[in-house]
DNA sequence: CATGAATGAGGTTTCATTCAT
DNA sequence: TATGAATGAAACCTCATTCAT
């Protein structure tokens, strides 16, 4: 058998005709719908197909298996966060610490909060996929951007940046999720940002800077 | 199929007899073994029973269903962390901020790090259960202890404590997991603690204290 | 995942209780029934289970997958033919050529003809399984027995035996199947045996013997 | 090539237009490629179409369903063997027994051996189709030719010919396949022919001839 | 005629849970 | 009480075939 392959996780084919573009889009939307309504544990390929108004067969024409579908979802959403952070980072090079932090926190938190429910739904996916492939890839990209940005701070101790970056990501991720779980009334979001800024400033001053 | 309300989530009977205690203990150990060796996705009641050296039937005598088993695991583990934190909190009443933070961070991080692999395995469970039932219960207990502890700080703004506590938990949880994922060489743990202390001090000074 | 194993093809567990012995037997019988009635192409695990009066789950408790079931069938039936031939061979050591041939042909043809329909059904299986594992093993055993038997002929050229053995098996197999397909009225069977004997005698005199 | 073919074995329908002929030919080749590379179990209409460089739709324009495609393959290949045997038979009328046997064996074995892998691939098909339709038709034609040929032997017992013919086909088929499975080094092929000749001569002398 | 997206019945397999022994 | 065989709903996935473009 040819079945020894570790099972492809990438989408199967790029639609050629126009009709199929619609199908793919419908599947994409349906997946989120199901995720929001039923949760990952109850997300089945059949149910997704149903909600998308297509047949299972169609779903499998574009994604070789369930995991590939989930990964595609994950990828698409992480990309958005990734892109947002990238922009914020690059625009913050050489700014003073305060502005830098404000920018990156704004970008990250807003990206997550904008579609709070989707973010939470997507978060569920992470534990569901052998996400090594590209989840970490997006994260790595963000890490690189953050690292570069922090490197433009005057007087920074370069070799200590990686750990700081990790702390930032872990903290932003955890805290943002916590606020989302708490229903995130707008004022909480504002407060979250302020708090993060205080913490990060302390973090960076302690860890990275002499003065 | 849909999550019909009832379905008890609490262990069926508290082991009274000698033999029962052994069985429950064996199941507990076996669950962790399977979790470590096969992951949540491959954790089946049959496999757990096999590894525990008992029959599935016996397993179901102590836990009404799979979820109850997982919740029991979660509960037991969190209890340890909870108890540790509780002690640390109570011993820190009226201490100066620095010592307070040092104590609670030590307690939390050490509790997690001591059995790193188990902690990670247990973490997988959280996404598996409708964790509302008691996960938050233990967490709530910790929150109360933290709240009380922080309340002993001179000049504190009481109404702002809850948010600070949530931030602390989210941050400690996220950062600790991050370090565990990175294989946690001992020096990283030490650094993690220092960093958390800096961040929490900033957090509390900003949020809770006048001076 | 632990799924990289080439997929076990051997029965799963040997029944311990008595009840399960019945189940296995029922599955066995049902498989043949389905094979006879619907053919391999229409043999599904569900259908087999139904006819056996058990649930699919039960089937999979004893055979890890469909192929394992088919192989078990194949094995059991080939074993019968194998055993029959073995006896005939061992009883024919040192007999004159004529008697030798008569014995082995009798054994082989009768073993096949006795349950003609089952034999034909089983024959279908061969093309269905990656039968390398033990199909050839049984055949090899028969080859060994034939080889040993022929080796007791006086004046035999030992190094030429293997090819002769292969020819015998191919010929007996092909011709027997042909007669079975033709509904095998008893007189045809008798004639088949005589013909085979003439052919094998010529074969052996030409290939193996000086005089 | 078409001209030398006896009309009774001619393909059933000849593609009329240029392009159609190319497409059919491409599908034919592709089917064999897939058969050789992936085996019958993995032969899907889509895969064949892909390899042929046409769409599935086109495939279904020439063959009403999968089985028709497979049967066409079978037919085409058997036709070659059939035609070859037919010629050999007709050229052997009234020849002495030895020459007769030599001719027909040569024709049959060479036809199979020439494209050993294709022959084996095609053999797989037989179990896949409800081969009654035309498999036996080609075989019947060969039987007729053999029968006629054997009828030219002096002193033959006509009513016994059919059985002898069946034995010959079964024996040649089985033995040839056996040698092909064994990788058929050239010397084995030669030996196969010699052996078959000895066996057939014995067969015919025993069954058909007085003297 | 060609294309290839869409279909969906049906096949294999898993696993939480029950219940007779 | 312990056992483990039996259950069967439900999940994933395939592929021959159709039909709108």
């Amino acid at each position: 058998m040819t079945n020894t392959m570790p099972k492809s996780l990438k989408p199967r084919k790029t639609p050629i005709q126009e009709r199929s573009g619609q199908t793919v889009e419908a599947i994409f939307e349906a997946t989120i719908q199901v995720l929001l309504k039923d949760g990952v544990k109850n997300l089945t390929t059949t149910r997704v197909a149903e909600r998308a108004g297509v047949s299972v067969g169609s779903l499998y024409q574009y994604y070789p298996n369930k995991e590939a579908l989930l990964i595609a979802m994950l990828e698409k959403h992480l990309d958005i966060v990734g892109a947002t952070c990238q922009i914020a980072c690059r625009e913050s090079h050489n700014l003073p610490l305060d502005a830098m932090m404000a920018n990156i926190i704004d970008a990250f938190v807003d990206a997550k909060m904008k579609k709070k429910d989707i973010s939470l739904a997507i978060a569920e996916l992470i534990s569901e996929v052998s996400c090594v492939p590209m989840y970490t890839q997006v994260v790595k990209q963000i890490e690189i951007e953050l690292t570069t940005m922090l490197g433009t701070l005057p007087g920074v101790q370069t070799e200590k940046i990686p750990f700081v970056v990790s702390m930032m990501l872990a903290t932003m991720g955890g805290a943002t999720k916590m606020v989302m779980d708490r229903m995130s009334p707008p004022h909480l979001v504002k407060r979250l940002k302020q708090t993060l800024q205080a913490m990060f400033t302390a973090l960076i001053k302690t860890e990275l800077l002499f003065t």
Side-chain angles (χ1 to χ4, degrees), chain A:
Chain A
M1 295 290 142
T2 333
N3 234 356
T4 334
M5 269 200 328
K7 162 169 121 174
S8 175
L9 296 176
K10 290 194 300 196
R12 209 165 227 169
K13 62 177 170 188
T14 321
I16 302 176
Q17 299 185 0
E18 191 218 352
R19 186 169 35 151
S20 50
Q22 293 169 5
T23 301
V24 168
E25 186 55 29
I27 293 173
F28 184 81
E29 293 297 346
T31 308
I32 292 201
Q33 302 299 329
V34 173
L35 220 43
L36 290 174
K37 185 167 172 296
D38 308 295
V40 223
K41 311 297 305 186
N42 298 327
L43 184 154
T44 70
T45 51
T46 310
R47 195 172 294 192
V48 167
E50 258 168 17
R51 194 171 206 96
V54 302
S55 65
V56 231
S58 288
L59 191 158
Y60 279 91
Q61 204 144 46
Y62 298 103
Y63 303 95
N65 49 58
K66 189 185 175 184
E67 191 168 19
L69 169 65
L70 298 187
I71 287 185
M73 300 299 295
L74 200 47
E75 201 165 18
K76 198 157 179 174
H77 273 277
L78 287 177
D79 274 353
I80 295 175
V81 176
T84 311
C85 289
Q86 190 180 53
I87 294 174
C89 283
R90 298 198 173 175
E91 287 178 343
S92 304
H93 286 190
N94 300 305
L95 293 190
L97 181 56
D98 280 355
M100 210 177 238
M101 292 300 102
N103 284 347
I104 188 65
I105 290 170
D106 266 7
F108 186 91
V109 173
D110 286 347
K112 290 276 183 190
M113 289 295 172
K114 185 172 295 175
K115 299 184 177 179
K116 180 169 49 103
D117 46 3
I118 293 185
S119 279
L120 284 173
I122 292 292
E124 279 198 291
L125 288 182
I126 293 180
S127 64
E128 205 71 359
V129 293
S130 51
C131 52
V132 196
M134 109 285 107
Y135 165 53
T136 41
Q137 159 134 0
V138 178
V139 172
K140 278 220 174 73
Q141 183 55 34
I142 301 187
E143 286 180 336
I144 291 174
E145 298 293 342
L146 282 172
T147 302
T148 310
M149 179 188 74
L150 292 178
T152 68
L153 284 171
V156 82
Q157 289 180 280
T158 321
E159 77 280 6
K160 293 186 169 173
I161 294 185
F163 178 77
V164 169
V165 164
S166 298
M167 286 293 297
M168 287 177 67
L169 281 177
T171 305
M172 280 198 298
T176 306
K177 181 159 191 327
M178 181 270 289
V179 168
M180 288 194 300
D181 286 341
R182 293 227 191 297
M183 315 294 163
S184 61
H187 79 273
L188 252 196
V189 176
K190 193 179 171 195
R191 193 153 169 213
L192 168 68
K193 290 182 181 176
Q194 293 171 335
T195 310
L196 282 176
Q197 180 153 12
M199 290 173 78
F200 286 176
T201 303
L203 163 66
I204 287 171
K205 282 195 175 150
T206 312
E207 289 283 327
L208 290 183
L209 302 178
F210 291 151
T211 42

